[in-house]
């Protein structure tokens, strides 16, 4: 099991590529970009799950 306080990136990312990383911090989920690690966004698990569902459902395809 991965330590939830350690930043984790997707297995789809290249080993040295810049990417979005996630970690659990208490009851929050934190996100950051690996090339700008000081800028951290905090959200709830429920809101992140809603975002992921929207992405998977094509709700953001127009942003490509």
């Amino acid at each position: 099991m991965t330590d939830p306080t350690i930043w984790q990136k997707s297995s789809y990312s290249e080993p040295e590529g810049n990417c979005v990383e996630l970690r659990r911090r208490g009851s929050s989920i934190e996100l950051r970009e690996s090339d700008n690690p000081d800028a951290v966004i905090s959200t709830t698990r429920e809101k992140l799950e809603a975002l992921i569902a929207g992405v998977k459902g094509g709700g953001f395809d127009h942003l490509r």
Side-chain angles (χ1 to χ4, degrees):
M1 183 166 147
T2 303
D3 182 344
T5 62
I6 302 295
W7 290 103
Q8 182 179 356
K9 65 180 179 176
S10 170
S11 60
Y12 290 97
S13 298
E14 295 179 18
E16 300 302 320
N18 293 325
C19 61
V20 174
E21 300 174 317
L22 299 160
R23 74 175 174 188
R24 189 175 69 224
R25 185 85 168 212
S27 62
S28 297
I29 302 294
E30 294 182 336
L31 296 88
R32 72 177 184 183
E33 292 187 24
S34 59
D35 62 341
N36 187 11
D38 294 329
V40 176
I41 296 171
S42 180
T43 191
T44 65
R45 181 182 176 126
E46 294 79 17
K47 290 178 183 177
L48 180 60
E49 287 173 347
L51 174 67
I52 292 169
V55 170
K56 286 182 174 182
F60 297 92
D61 287 355
H62 66 282
L63 298 175
R64 289 184 186 194

